[in-house]
Amino acid sequence: GGSFVVYVTTAAVGTITTRTAAQMFGDSPGTIVGRSYILRIANGGPIILNVLPGTGVSILGKGQKILPGTFCDYLVTFNTSSTMTFTPCGFGSYSQDLITIPGTM
């Protein structure tokens, strides 16, 4: 139910699949249709991370592959109680010691 959620992997895992939209809606007490939040998925692992959508989840644009040492920020929106959209809205470098966002200090 947070407004900024972070998922970090450092394993040599090539693919992750989101939970279903209905599960994520149910995991967020008090959530309403139309609510949005930011999700950061950071890849600290040694290989490309493929992000696959669970049932009812749409991932737009080129946000389905995250290179090693980078992160992708998504604007996640609950369209209905069983559908949601992940819209990539930022990318940057990731390190366990430092997160660098292009254009910031």
Side-chain angles (χ1 to χ4, degrees):
S3 59
F4 186 80
V5 178
V6 178
Y7 174 87
V8 177
T9 183
T10 57
V13 175
T15 302
I16 60 170
T17 303
T18 72
R19 294 170 52 83
T20 70
Q23 287 171 324
M24 287 187 271
F25 190 85
D27 288 344
S28 303
T31 290
I32 59 170
V33 171
R35 177 180 177 264
S36 294
Y37 64 94
I38 299 294
L39 168 64
R40 173 170 290 173
I41 299 178
N43 182 6
I47 61 177
I48 293 173
L49 179 65
N50 296 296
V51 182
L52 300 180
T55 302
V57 177
S58 297
I59 302 174
L60 303 180
K62 297 181 179 182
Q64 295 182 3
K65 291 188 183 297
I66 303 174
L67 297 175
T70 66
F71 68 83
C72 180
D73 287 341
Y74 300 90
L75 176 64
V76 178
T77 304
F78 289 103
N79 304 314
T80 70
S81 62
S82 61
T83 62
M84 63 194 316
T85 304
F86 284 38
T87 304
C89 60
F91 299 90
S93 298
Y94 169 79
S95 162
Q96 290 183 20
D97 301 321
L98 172 70
I99 295 178
T100 303
I101 301 172
T104 66
M105 185 170 158

